[in-house]
Amino acid sequence: MPKVTVDGIEIEVPQGATVLQAAELAGKEIPRFCYHERLSIAGNCRMCLVEVKPGPPKPQASCALPAAEGQEIRTDSEMVKKAREGVMEFLLINHPLDCPICDQGGECDLQDQAMAYGKGGSRYEENKRAVTEKYMGPIVKTAMTRCIHCTRCVRFSEEVAGVEEIGAIGRGEGMEITSYLEGAVHSELSGNVVDLCPVGALTSKPYAFEARPWELTKTLGIDVMDGVGTNIRIDSRGREVLRALPRVNDDVNEEWATDKTRHAIDGLMKRRLDKPYVRKNGKLEEASWNEAFQAIADVNAGSSVAAIAGDLVDCETMYAAKKLLKSMKSDMLEGRQTGLSYDVSNLAAVNFNSTIAGIEEADVILLVSTNPRWEASLVNTRIRKAVRKGGAKVYGIGPEADQTYPVEWLGDDMGALAKQPKALADALKGAERPAIILGGGALSVEGAHGAALKLASKYKLIRDGWNGFNVLHIGASRTGGLMLGYAFDGGIKAIAAKKPKLLFALGADEMNYEAFKDSFKVFIGHHGDAGAHAADVILPGAAYTEKNGTYVNLEGRVQRSNKAIFAPGDAREDWSILRALSDVMGKTLPFDSFEELRAKMAKDHPELAQEGLVAFDWAPPAGLPDKPTGQGVHPIKDFYLTNSIARASATMQRCSAELLHADDELMEAAE
């Protein structure tokens, strides 16, 4: 490891580190605009200039200069100070003086660095350049006159998102950043360029002119739009969530978030259930909580009661419902609301064992009836990284879909999983870290799970320090539900066959309610979606931003989300609804507060007591059917409308209409 001196401080730096990284290890701040630790080095902005000896007697760009043994680095010399002032003066030549009306105000790197490193005045007296606005879709708003050509957005779209639709035209002062043919950017990760832009050239269109950052209350939370468990910061004002921004977690989402995570939040205020309802004479009518509870108690279901958990539910709610059903002597619990029925005797066999970060190390990956770009976009970026940086080879069985990286598709016949084509077999045999990823579509095919486990054994996907067997769950509640026992033998069809008198639907909006037409259906949820339409009693619950909750992501990582705002109207937190209902039904639950509930859950399920990755022992079930037939399917038909919150979101509806079901040919470029 090379030793360098930074402003008189001698430090050791890792081999291959840059001078900028060396300076930061020494505790020195280096201003930058184009450099970003997760993107390739461009060296465009020249803001990171430092003085380095031995070397030419001039400032050098620290982001692109490797640290070498014996270097003397100065970040505070007069030469460096003047160089930075000069660079800042150049950057501000054409930048408009519109800070008061810029949506980046208060979160602008250019503003901060101009104050810290600029001169305080400009010698430029000519006319400023003006650049026409560009249309980049429903998510990204442009003000391209502000652009300083750092190319962060270009590099992100090419390297991380894998959608080469943002680029540069022209040279020098005439250079412009634009989308391909000035059309919408067809990426489910486009919103990340707003966070990356250091100058306010790209801002958030749905959030435009809604608030200033200092007005917002910031709450740490977990996203529920997919099974990844993206770490987010919920920005709220009053009783409304205005923004959801990603937090840095290198093990989960790095610092990215999908457009659905960011912008489905406007659906939290639409189509909300804020009062209890009871169905009378075939019509839902407003009722009091006591009336609604009494209507449920009057069913006198005995032990003929079932609970179906939806995809957005927290572990505490599922635990409370489980305790209520247990007190009624029922074990009919199910979280696979779309009808899946796979073996759960060993949770490792239905877990993403490579881990989200670990899949980057795979050298051969087999995708089985899954579209990770839609089902778990931030897992897909990891696979793309494995391909780009590690040279991983990816094969696919199932319907073809653009994954932003090369995939050798082996057809959509699921029989290929049992009888592997030669190309796949040879690749798996020679792989050091082979991996398989089964999607929800694969688990719906009889024999696919068994065939995948057999393949894992045959090609030694599980070896010292590596487990390459992965199941990709779509729902945020799925892994937590499996840990809590929400997996009835035979799945939801087996529960329907028992014809329960009473059915609790915990935010279950994707299930087929026709199968329970003879059951008295109680919907506990937050949106007027499919579940509410089918219900006999509606009990208004809280959305994920309106309650504390524990969520377990697809790799078995336990994470906690915090309450940001209160639920609207008469809506209550789901656990408290179940607690109050238990009193009326004469089955009082053994907790009176959320803390007591969480303590009880931790006692019964110690694996949920602490945040972090749960270790599942590998003991796969034997004797499963292993001869799959038929075609694979992709369970997600529309990325932007996968749950009740997203379907209520005007932004997601527009994204769906414009990006998936039509083209933006009618949109004005400067809109």
Side-chain angles (χ1 to χ4, degrees):
M1 294 194 357
K3 284 185 179 177
V4 301
T5 304
V6 181
D7 295 344
I9 304 167
E10 188 176 76
I11 59 164
E12 258 189 347
V13 298
Q15 193 67 45
T18 62
V19 169
L20 186 150
Q21 290 166 328
E24 295 209 323
L25 284 170
K28 303 294 181 180
E29 184 183 34
I30 303 290
R32 83 291 297 264
F33 292 112
C34 68
Y35 175 80
H36 192 279
E37 48 275 8
R38 300 190 197 275
L39 304 175
S40 61
I41 292 168
N44 290 337
C45 71
R46 322 307 288 182
M47 196 64 204
C48 65
L49 293 172
V50 296
E51 189 178 349
V52 181
K53 293 178 183 176
K58 63 176 185 180
Q60 298 185 69
S62 59
C63 67
L65 185 66
E69 182 69 39
Q71 278 180 335
E72 290 182 35
I73 303 163
R74 299 289 306 191
T75 70
D76 56 359
S77 67
E78 189 62 26
M79 180 196 291
V80 171
K81 182 176 179 293
K82 285 185 175 178
R84 289 173 179 173
E85 287 176 351
V87 169
M88 184 58 70
E89 193 174 2
F90 274 115
L91 288 175
L92 293 174
I93 277 178
N94 289 305
H95 196 82
L97 300 174
D98 62 350
C99 291
I101 62 161
C102 177
D103 239 19
Q104 197 91 341
E107 298 174 322
C108 178
D109 292 343
L110 184 67
Q111 202 174 52
D112 295 341
Q113 293 184 38
M115 295 297 291
Y117 304 103
K119 285 183 71 168
S122 174
R123 292 165 290 179
Y124 185 74
E125 294 180 351
E126 306 297 322
N127 292 328
K128 287 180 178 274
R129 177 198 67 194
V131 182
T132 57
E133 310 309 358
K134 308 292 188 287
Y135 183 75
M136 290 192 178
I139 299 298
V140 182
K141 185 177 190 296
T142 65
M144 300 314 292
T145 302
R146 298 173 188 155
C147 179
I148 62 167
H149 306 155
C150 72
T151 68
R152 278 186 180 183
C153 54
V154 177
R155 284 173 285 148
F156 173 84
S157 65
E158 289 180 358
E159 296 164 17
V160 180
V163 178
E164 298 183 2
E165 292 186 12
I166 302 178
I169 56 174
R171 296 183 66 188
E173 193 180 54
M175 177 176 166
E176 295 183 21
I177 302 294
T178 182
S179 56
Y180 180 65
L181 298 178
E182 297 195 18
V185 179
H186 293 77
S187 171
E188 58 288 345
L189 299 169
S190 66
N192 290 290
V193 300
V194 173
D195 288 351
L196 286 170
C197 183
V199 297
L202 305 175
T203 55
S204 171
K205 190 174 283 184
Y207 175 71
F209 310 119
E210 288 291 326
R212 291 298 196 188
W214 52 85
E215 302 172 349
L216 304 175
T217 302
K218 300 166 178 64
T219 310
L220 306 185
I222 301 297
D223 174 58
V224 298
M225 296 294 140
D226 55 26
V228 173
T230 302
N231 289 219
I232 58 172
R233 192 188 82 198
I234 304 161
D235 288 0
S236 58
R237 184 176 61 192
R239 300 188 68 167
E240 186 176 0
V241 174
L242 295 179
R243 281 199 307 191
L245 297 177
R247 291 185 282 132
V248 177
N249 187 329
D250 287 334
D251 294 325
V252 182
N253 57 295
E254 298 181 283
E255 60 186 79
W256 316 127
T258 68
D259 291 348
K260 190 161 52 177
T261 296
R262 291 172 180 275
H263 297 298
I265 49 108
D266 63 331
L268 291 167
M269 300 295 290
K270 304 285 193 294
R271 304 182 190 174
R272 287 303 300 267
L273 301 171
D274 58 358
K275 286 182 171 60
Y277 287 84
V278 175
R279 192 175 295 276
K280 297 177 182 176
N281 302 319
K283 188 179 178 182
L284 286 167
E285 295 180 8
E286 283 186 25
S288 68
W289 281 101
N290 287 335
E291 286 173 334
F293 288 161
Q294 196 58 51
I296 300 166
D298 290 344
V299 175
N300 291 318
S303 62
S304 182
V305 57
I308 311 294
D311 290 343
L312 314 181
V313 187
D314 57 293
C315 290
E316 286 82 359
T317 298
M318 289 189 282
Y319 177 76
K322 179 183 178 179
K323 293 292 283 186
L324 180 60
L325 261 69
K326 190 177 179 180
S327 68
M328 300 172 75
K329 297 182 170 52
S330 172
D331 63 350
M332 288 192 281
L333 302 167
E334 185 55 75
R336 300 165 295 183
Q337 57 171 332
T338 53
L340 297 179
S341 171
Y342 44 82
D343 189 291
V344 295
S345 56
N346 178 232
L347 290 185
V350 288
N351 186 53
F352 201 90
N353 296 293
S354 297
T355 71
I356 294 171
I359 197 68
E360 293 178 19
E361 299 174 22
D363 51 0
V364 174
I365 301 171
L366 172 62
L367 305 176
V368 184
S369 199
T370 181
N371 178 6
R373 185 173 174 186
W374 280 9
E375 293 170 25
S377 305
L378 296 177
V379 171
N380 202 55
T381 62
R382 303 283 191 159
I383 300 172
R384 176 171 168 79
K385 201 184 290 188
V387 173
R388 286 186 66 248
K389 296 186 175 179
K393 182 72 177 169
V394 183
Y395 296 87
I397 298 172
E400 294 188 20
D402 179 15
Q403 301 301 330
T404 72
Y405 45 81
V407 180
E408 188 173 325
W409 293 100
L410 305 172
D412 61 359
D413 182 5
M414 293 297 288
L417 188 56
K419 191 177 179 182
Q420 301 86 32
K422 187 175 183 307
L424 174 62
D426 290 346
L428 290 170
K429 280 177 189 171
E432 289 184 16
R433 290 179 179 268
I436 182 173
I437 300 177
L438 264 72
L443 293 173
S444 67
V445 177
E446 178 74 21
H449 193 197
L453 288 167
K454 194 172 177 180
L455 180 147
S457 174
K458 181 179 178 181
Y459 295 105
K460 296 182 173 60
L461 267 63
I462 294 85
R463 48 185 82 173
D464 284 346
W466 177 253
N467 188 332
F469 187 86
N470 301 300
V471 171
L472 197 158
H473 296 301
I474 300 170
S477 65
R478 186 64 47 85
T479 305
L482 295 177
M483 291 165 71
L484 286 164
Y486 275 73
F488 194 72
D489 192 19
I492 203 166
K493 287 180 183 174
I495 293 178
K498 287 181 175 289
K499 298 187 175 183
K501 291 182 182 176
L502 181 61
L503 175 74
F504 288 105
L506 310 175
D509 287 303
E510 319 304 325
M511 64 179 280
N512 176 21
Y513 281 94
E514 195 58 34
F516 295 91
K517 59 184 179 183
D518 297 327
S519 303
F520 188 89
K521 296 175 282 292
V522 179
F523 181 77
I524 304 175
H526 39 75
H527 275 78
D529 208 280
H533 284 285
D536 295 300
V537 171
I538 295 173
L539 304 177
Y544 70 106
T545 56
E546 298 156 4
K547 58 186 174 184
N548 297 310
T550 302
Y551 299 91
V552 187
N553 75 351
L554 54 82
E555 61 180 351
R557 186 178 300 276
V558 179
Q559 303 185 113
R560 299 270 167 83
S561 187
N562 297 311
K563 180 177 180 175
I565 57 171
F566 290 96
D570 290 339
R572 299 289 183 267
E573 294 179 31
D574 306 45
W575 73 268
S576 65
I577 295 172
L578 291 162
R579 171 63 181 81
L581 175 61
S582 70
D583 271 350
V584 178
M585 298 181 75
K587 306 288 184 183
T588 303
L589 292 174
F591 45 80
D592 294 320
S593 68
F594 181 79
E595 288 70 28
E596 287 181 23
L597 162 60
R598 186 170 272 180
K600 290 278 186 187
M601 184 175 75
K603 186 180 177 183
D604 291 350
H605 300 274
E607 65 276 15
L608 295 172
Q610 297 292 327
E611 291 189 272
L613 205 60
V614 178
F616 298 116
D617 294 328
W618 181 254
L624 296 182
D626 57 10
K627 298 287 189 291
T629 56
Q631 294 181 330
V633 293
H634 290 162
I636 293 180
K637 305 304 178 189
D638 190 318
F639 170 77
Y640 297 101
L641 304 176
T642 52
N643 57 61
S644 58
I645 298 174
R647 288 190 286 271
S649 163
T651 305
M652 292 297 100
Q653 290 171 20
R654 181 169 177 181
C655 285
S656 171
E658 185 175 334
L659 302 178
L660 298 184
H661 301 298
D663 237 324
D664 52 357
E665 57 206 295
L666 302 177
M667 304 303 298
E668 293 289 336
E671 181 176 334

